[in-house]
Amino acid sequence: MRVYLDDERPTPEGWLAVRWPEEAIALLEGGQVVELSLDHDLGDDEHGTGYDVLLWLEEAVATRGFVPPRVRVHSANSSARQKMELAIVRIERFARER
C-alpha cells in the first residue's frame, strides 16, 4: 500500500489518503505500507505534523527493528522539508545498520 499524508493536495492515483499522523502510523504498524509520502503542515500543529510520523518511524526502526517503507516528502514548507529529509537519512542509516 502507498500512503499519502496531506490535508489539502489531491491524492495521486494509486495512493491511500490519510489526514493525520496517527492514521499513517496505524497503517505502518499494520506492516503493509511499501511507500509513504508526507506533507509537514496538516492544518493543526497541535494535532501533529508529518514530522511526527518520521519520529515514530525512526524510533521503531532504531529500537524494534521495524523495516521502513520507501519515504518521500512533498511538503512546500522548505525548512520543515529539510528537517524531514534529514530524518529520512537517519531512518535509512538505522535500517542499514541492523
Side-chain angles (χ1 to χ4, degrees):
M1 147 185 359
R2 298 163 78 193
V3 176
Y4 193 80
L5 175 65
D6 202 293
D7 64 321
E8 292 183 348
R9 291 174 187 83
T11 304
E13 187 174 327
W15 292 75
L16 176 65
V18 295
R19 175 161 169 76
W20 299 113
E22 67 270 14
E23 295 173 299
I25 291 168
L27 292 169
L28 286 164
E29 287 175 325
Q32 301 301 310
V33 178
V34 296
E35 194 167 359
L36 179 63
S37 188
L38 302 170
D39 185 18
H40 181 272
D41 303 319
L42 301 172
D44 182 358
D45 286 354
E46 296 279 324
H47 192 138
T49 68
Y51 186 66
D52 294 318
V53 177
L54 292 173
L55 292 176
W56 179 90
L57 193 54
E58 185 175 6
E59 184 275 331
V61 171
T63 65
R64 292 185 273 141
F66 186 84
V67 177
R70 178 172 183 255
V71 183
R72 70 171 90 177
V73 178
H74 63 262
S75 179
N77 180 331
S78 60
S79 61
R81 171 187 281 277
Q82 184 176 22
K83 178 173 75 169
M84 293 172 77
E85 288 173 348
L86 289 171
I88 293 168
V89 169
R90 288 190 308 269
I91 290 164
E92 291 171 346
R93 186 181 70 231
F94 285 135
R96 280 192 311 270
E97 291 173 355
R98 61 177 164 81

